[in-house]
Amino acid sequence: MVTQFHKIRRFALVLVLFWSAGIAFSFYWFYRGEQQTVLAIARAEARATFEKDTLYRRWATLHGGVYVPASDLSPPNPYLNHIPERDVTTPSGKALTLVNPAYMTRQVFELADSQKNLVRGHITSLKPIRPENLPDPWEAKALKLFETGVKEVSEVQEMGGRPYMRLMRPFVTDTPCLKCHAAQGYRVGVIRGGVSASVPLEVDAAVMGDVITGAAVSHGFIWLLGVGLIGTGARVLSRSARVIEEREERYRTVADYTEGWEYWQGPDHAFRYVSPSCEELSGYSREEFYADPDLLHRIVHPEDLQHYQSHVSDSFRGTPKPLDFRIIRKDGEVRWIAHVCRLVYTSSGAENGIRGSNRDITDRKLASQALHEQAELLEKEVRERVEREAELEAKNAELERFTYTVSHDLKSPLITIKGFAGAVLKDIEGGNLQRLDGDVRRIMGAADKMSALLGDLLELSRIGRIVNAPSLIDMNHLAGDVLGQLSGPIQQAGVEVVLPPDLPRVWGDQPRIGEVLQNLVENAIKYRGEQHKPRIDIGVREGADGPVFTVRDNGVGVAAQYHETIFGLFNQLDARSEGTGIGLALARRIVEFHGGKLWVESEGAGQGSTFCFTLGTRPPDPNKQG
């Protein structure tokens, strides 16, 4: 793994290389500069020499040459034989010979050649008079360049194994020059040759070597100083990097290896840090959160987004509260998140965003939900059990009443039958046939009453066990059928029956609902009292749980203390009335089987009664027992 320490070492190495290259370039630049300086000095010296040689040559030319004593050093010039006064004798008898400018210059140059470190010179031409003045190859090249208009040629050349700065300029023919060179065909203004000056470079090179050595030492010292500073800096940075890496390692250990999803959002809401565990929880990588700060908002479940946005606003205001919300993972799975966050601050105390922590609580939520459902189911079971127990207690109580009533009401006709059967036997033994007919009739009446009681009891026991298929009942049509069946008793009693045309439709067992209406209408006819204009209204009104069907009469009414009693078995307000007293109990059982209620509303005796019942609007459960 490439650490900061390794990066610093590599950077230091690169910096040393750059520093070394910079020092080397500086030294090379200095060396080249010194070389150019030496050459420039040598060239300047060569030019100065040329100017000096030209100056004394011009002086000699202006004077037409000079006469010197003829000697071995200066013998008469054979190339000046055409000059009449080449040789002269002084009055004292001293022989003199003419030395023209070229002869004088050549002698000066030969004198300089005898000195090792002096500037060497050479007068030459492409058409020299003397063979010794023939140009060497470099000089010949320079002379040809002069003919093209070049005014000066200079170059470093080796002569005799030694380096020289050679410089050459042309000689232009003047009028005084024609004294000696007119015979060669020269004319004024024509280049007739040139003079080269060769400056030895060994002395200057030695001086330059000393300077270069000093420069090399100074550059080496500067290089060592720079390398030392770079090394020291690298060591300091390495120590700091190790400390930082140790801190980062502790930070990564704490932050990156958390089970939950940790993050830090700056004041601009951009993510400054996201733990790698975000991908396991959300399906999105930390790089995706860094690139898109709004990604977290977009994966929040739409139903929880408003609460989450309010929470974020509160968090940046410094008033965060824990929040549970859902996110939609990248693969579409919905997960529950337990989220807490808090403001963070810089070392100077300035707000620096928020730090958030997210934990996956999906399993806990599902377990809690399952537990809640189990609790609701258990509560429902307990409630149903309590209801069943209450219902069982009510049934037991009803059964006790039923048993008592049956034993009481059945015992009465049995006693009657037994008593009149004994009377029949006495009548037969005594021959009293007149009383026999009446006693038999009483026995038959008691038997009929017992048969009616047994039939009603059988009908009551069938409620909830014998069930017709539920259907959608048109209550207007059903009520019309019931009134048609009771048309005889209604006409005989002179009762006015009012049936509205807009009764709603309901689901249920149509024959059983018909029995309810029939019992209620028959009960209203039976207890019409002494009304001159008895009336029965069949109607409907809206209740809290749906439509409430009503059968209202203007008969004898029911006192408040009997509002529940009349629905018991064999309970009759008027013992002299016909019937067994089971009709209202039968009607209530049918209504309750359909999930409804049956009750009576009456302001008391003589105020009439309104029997009300409700029915479910869906098919009843055929498995429900009454």
Side-chain angles (χ1 to χ4, degrees):
M1 181 180 68
V2 179
T3 63
Q4 290 295 327
F5 173 73
H6 293 91
K7 290 181 179 179
I8 291 172
R9 290 187 61 182
R10 288 194 300 184
F11 178 75
L13 179 59
V14 171
L15 196 59
V16 167
L17 293 176
F18 271 103
W19 175 250
S20 300
I23 293 296
F25 179 77
S26 174
F27 179 75
Y28 173 76
W29 184 266
F30 180 82
Y31 177 79
R32 291 288 297 172
E34 286 298 312
Q35 279 189 328
Q36 296 299 322
T37 300
V38 169
L39 294 178
I41 293 173
R43 189 176 288 110
E45 186 176 357
R47 287 171 182 163
T49 301
F50 178 85
E51 294 294 339
K52 179 195 67 174
D53 292 342
T54 303
L55 185 62
Y56 70 72
R57 179 184 177 87
R58 181 177 295 276
W59 179 88
T61 302
L62 291 175
H63 289 81
V66 295
Y67 285 93
V68 300
S71 64
D72 293 337
L73 293 177
S74 299
N77 190 345
Y79 301 103
L80 298 179
N81 289 330
H82 61 281
I83 298 177
E85 295 182 347
R86 185 193 72 173
D87 298 310
V88 296
T89 303
T90 65
S92 63
K94 191 174 183 177
L96 297 178
T97 184
L98 178 65
V99 177
N100 65 346
Y103 190 15
M104 179 183 63
T105 302
R106 176 173 58 82
Q107 285 188 336
V108 171
F109 285 165
E110 289 174 352
L111 184 62
D113 286 343
S114 65
Q115 303 294 321
K116 183 178 180 181
N117 293 323
L118 292 181
V119 178
R120 299 175 62 181
H122 185 225
I123 185 169
T124 184
S125 173
L126 292 176
K127 295 186 293 181
I129 298 175
R130 294 177 69 249
E132 292 83 354
N133 289 344
L134 282 172
D136 61 24
W138 182 84
E139 291 173 331
K141 179 180 177 182
L143 290 170
K144 291 178 181 179
L145 289 175
F146 293 155
E147 293 178 355
T148 63
V150 176
K151 302 300 183 181
E152 180 182 280
V153 176
S154 64
E155 188 177 357
V156 176
Q157 286 264 315
E158 282 196 5
M159 299 173 61
R162 298 174 60 193
Y164 284 84
M165 166 58 73
R166 301 193 69 183
L167 182 140
M168 188 173 183
R169 287 184 179 180
F171 273 155
V172 180
T173 303
D174 292 332
T175 300
C177 297
L178 296 178
K179 177 181 179 180
C180 299
H181 299 284
Q184 291 179 277
Y186 291 108
R187 61 184 182 274
V188 176
V190 175
I191 296 175
R192 58 183 178 82
V195 175
S196 67
S198 301
V199 179
L201 297 178
E202 290 180 342
V203 176
D204 293 336
V207 174
M208 186 187 73
D210 294 339
V211 174
I212 293 300
T213 301
V217 172
S218 62
H219 276 74
F221 176 76
I222 294 173
W223 179 80
L224 290 174
L225 180 62
V227 171
L229 291 175
I230 292 172
T232 302
R235 285 192 296 273
V236 172
L237 289 176
S238 297
R239 286 196 295 268
S240 300
R242 284 194 178 95
V243 173
I244 292 173
E245 287 180 353
E246 290 175 358
R247 291 177 179 176
E248 288 183 349
E249 186 67 26
R250 290 196 297 268
Y251 165 76
R252 284 194 299 269
T253 302
V254 173
D256 288 357
Y257 296 95
T258 57
E259 182 180 357
W261 167 14
E262 309 289 334
Y263 65 82
W264 167 29
Q265 279 183 292
D268 58 352
H269 290 217
F271 285 100
R272 305 288 179 81
Y273 171 78
V274 180
S275 63
S277 52
C278 67
E279 187 166 3
E280 180 180 355
L281 187 54
S282 68
Y284 295 91
S285 67
R286 62 200 300 184
E287 288 74 20
E288 291 176 278
F289 283 100
Y290 288 140
D292 186 0
D294 293 330
L295 177 59
L296 181 54
H297 286 260
R298 291 204 303 276
I299 67 174
V300 174
H301 196 282
E303 295 179 3
D304 301 335
L305 182 58
Q306 184 176 357
H307 295 293
Y308 175 75
Q309 290 174 338
S310 299
H311 168 80
V312 172
S313 299
D314 293 341
S315 299
F316 276 95
R317 286 197 297 266
T319 58
K321 294 181 180 179
L323 177 69
D324 292 350
F325 62 91
R326 289 165 291 177
I327 63 169
I328 302 176
R329 284 172 45 89
K330 196 172 187 178
D331 57 8
E333 182 184 359
V334 176
R335 307 291 291 179
W336 274 97
I337 299 296
H339 172 80
V340 293
C341 64
R342 60 179 299 175
L343 273 175
V344 294
Y345 301 90
T346 64
S347 57
S348 60
E351 292 184 2
N352 199 21
I354 60 172
R355 182 185 184 277
S357 298
N358 298 316
R359 298 291 184 273
D360 187 347
I361 58 169
T362 304
D363 294 340
R364 190 178 75 189
K365 280 287 185 179
L366 293 177
S368 176
Q369 183 178 355
L371 184 61
H372 180 69
E373 292 175 354
Q374 290 291 333
E376 288 184 345
L377 181 61
L378 181 60
E379 183 180 354
K380 181 180 178 181
E381 291 179 354
V382 171
R383 184 169 60 252
E384 290 178 351
R385 178 173 295 182
V386 171
E387 291 175 355
R388 286 197 297 269
E389 289 178 353
E391 184 179 357
L392 182 59
E393 291 179 359
K395 288 182 179 290
N396 288 335
E398 183 180 357
L399 181 61
E400 290 179 2
R401 292 194 302 272
F402 174 77
T403 303
Y404 173 78
T405 303
V406 169
S407 64
H408 179 272
D409 287 12
L410 290 180
K411 186 184 295 183
S412 178
L414 286 175
I415 292 174
T416 301
I417 291 171
K418 184 177 180 180
F420 282 100
V424 168
L425 291 175
K426 289 181 181 180
D427 290 339
I428 293 174
E429 291 176 357
N432 188 0
L433 299 179
Q434 294 179 349
R435 293 182 58 183
L436 182 63
D437 182 65
D439 292 338
V440 172
R441 290 182 180 277
R442 288 184 176 86
I443 290 173
M444 292 178 65
D448 290 340
K449 184 176 182 179
M450 180 177 290
S451 176
L453 283 171
L454 292 174
D456 287 342
L457 290 173
L458 180 61
E459 182 69 18
L460 184 65
S461 67
R462 288 178 176 177
I463 300 299
R465 292 187 293 108
I466 301 176
V467 181
N468 298 301
S471 62
L472 189 61
I473 304 171
D474 185 339
M475 291 298 288
N476 282 97
H477 184 270
L478 180 61
D481 289 345
V482 170
L483 294 178
Q485 295 174 10
L486 298 177
S487 59
I490 291 173
Q491 291 177 2
Q492 184 178 357
V495 177
E496 178 187 3
V497 180
V498 179
L499 177 64
D502 56 352
L503 294 179
R505 294 184 177 188
V506 294
W507 279 93
D509 185 344
Q510 183 168 324
R512 295 295 187 185
I513 302 302
E515 290 179 18
V516 173
L517 283 175
Q518 182 176 341
N519 275 321
L520 295 180
V521 173
E522 286 180 341
N523 193 70
I525 295 172
K526 185 189 302 183
Y527 294 99
R528 66 186 181 278
E530 302 297 331
Q531 287 286 347
H532 296 291
K533 294 182 179 181
R535 176 185 172 109
I536 299 175
D537 290 275
I538 300 175
V540 67
R541 70 190 187 205
E542 283 299 321
D545 298 325
V548 178
F549 296 96
T550 59
V551 179
R552 187 173 69 247
D553 63 66
N554 57 354
V556 297
V558 181
Q561 63 268 29
Y562 300 118
H563 283 186
E564 282 296 322
T565 305
I566 60 175
F567 294 103
L569 290 173
F570 309 114
N571 290 340
Q572 295 175 294
L573 293 179
D574 185 357
R576 296 171 298 175
S577 63
E578 298 178 356
T580 60
I582 295 180
L584 289 179
L586 182 64
R588 173 171 274 189
R589 290 289 298 276
I590 293 173
V591 169
E592 289 177 348
F593 171 74
H594 282 78
K597 295 180 180 179
L598 173 62
W599 70 95
V600 65
E601 296 175 353
S602 178
E603 296 183 1
Q607 301 299 316
S609 303
T610 301
F611 284 86
C612 310
F613 67 92
T614 60
L615 295 170
T617 56
R618 294 182 180 179
D621 185 0
N623 296 321
K624 182 177 180 181
Q625 300 297 321

